[in-house]
Amino acid sequence: MKELLTGLALAALAATAQADIGEDFHRFIEGSYGGAAIGVESRTTEGCPRGTTNCEDLRTLPWKFWGGWRVSETLGTEISYIHFGTLRNQTIAPNNAPLTETTTRAQSIGLTFAPTFAINQVSTVVARIGVASVKTEYDSPTESKGDWRGEPLLGAALQWNVGRSLPDSAGILRGFSLEFGWDTTRIKQVDSRKWIHLFTIGGGFEF
């Protein structure tokens, strides 16, 4: 009998501890969110140099992911990683000289504030304002560099909260949303700095 009572007591303690851990975990993740997206276009703000045949030809797929915590119903703080892809320019020089090629690869690690504005029950506009550490790798016939430097990071997104139209029984899926976004920061090429823009489509979850 003593062994049975001891076993029941230990089982009860284990169940209580498990419940406490579950509650603590729920409180920890409550208000957190995150997502990922792929790029549909990546461009800089400057026009094509004279003689360029392929201007800012996107050679690799851009992508990003982010995670955040909601400070309030209308404000979040986020960290993000963005890979802006690889842009290639090809130029034909005068007098039938060989074709020259330059490529630019940019990535950033950012910290932003993200105020949100509800349009209706299922649509939200998100603004992103912050700073980033940006690395630009610029390869040309005369130069190749890849440095990290601090830059502003701005963005905006339209979120369609698909999960809110699902029944309560859908559980975590009720926090799912689609996002159509834009992010921009500055990159450095040789002695010039220019803005690079990334347009993405992706999705995320809010807990």
Side-chain angles (χ1 to χ4, degrees):
M1 178 62 73
K2 180 183 292 186
E3 290 79 3
L4 177 60
L5 292 175
T6 301
L8 291 174
L10 290 174
L13 288 173
T16 302
Q18 186 175 6
D20 290 340
I21 292 172
E23 290 177 2
D24 291 341
F25 179 73
H26 178 74
R27 283 195 296 267
F28 176 76
I29 68 169
E30 188 175 10
S32 62
Y33 60 93
I38 58 173
V40 295
E41 185 176 7
S42 184
R43 290 278 175 182
T44 65
T45 51
E46 293 188 359
C48 299
R50 180 174 297 178
T52 303
T53 57
N54 273 329
C55 180
E56 297 192 330
D57 180 23
L58 188 59
R59 306 298 293 171
T60 61
L61 184 70
W63 54 277
K64 66 173 288 188
F65 65 84
W66 68 94
W69 185 72
R70 195 157 299 286
V71 180
S72 68
E73 291 185 0
T74 57
L75 179 64
T77 58
E78 297 181 358
I79 57 174
S80 64
Y81 174 82
I82 304 174
H83 193 292
F84 290 88
T86 301
L87 299 175
R88 181 184 69 171
N89 285 353
Q90 290 180 318
T91 304
I92 297 178
N95 302 322
N96 295 320
L99 182 94
T100 60
E101 179 174 296
T102 62
T103 59
T104 302
R105 293 177 296 277
Q107 56 186 312
S108 71
I109 301 172
L111 175 64
T112 54
F113 290 103
T116 60
F117 310 92
I119 301 174
N120 52 44
Q121 288 186 339
V122 295
S123 300
T124 305
V125 173
V126 181
R128 292 183 170 116
I129 306 167
V131 294
S133 181
V134 181
K135 183 178 183 180
T136 307
E137 297 173 285
Y138 179 73
D139 298 328
S140 73
T142 59
E143 184 173 3
S144 179
K145 284 190 175 181
D147 299 324
W148 290 95
R149 57 185 301 125
E151 295 288 356
L153 178 63
L154 305 173
L158 174 63
Q159 292 181 341
W160 178 29
N161 303 296
V162 181
R164 293 182 183 177
S165 60
L166 299 176
D168 292 341
S169 59
I172 193 174
L173 292 178
R174 283 184 53 81
F176 176 72
S177 62
L178 292 175
E179 177 172 307
F180 305 91
W182 160 75
D183 297 278
T184 184
T185 189
R186 287 192 300 191
I187 62 174
K188 184 177 185 296
Q189 292 181 334
V190 192
D191 295 324
S192 67
R193 296 164 74 186
K194 61 181 69 175
W195 290 89
I196 188 168
H197 304 274
L198 177 64
F199 299 89
T200 57
I201 180 171
F205 280 95
E206 182 164 346
F207 301 96

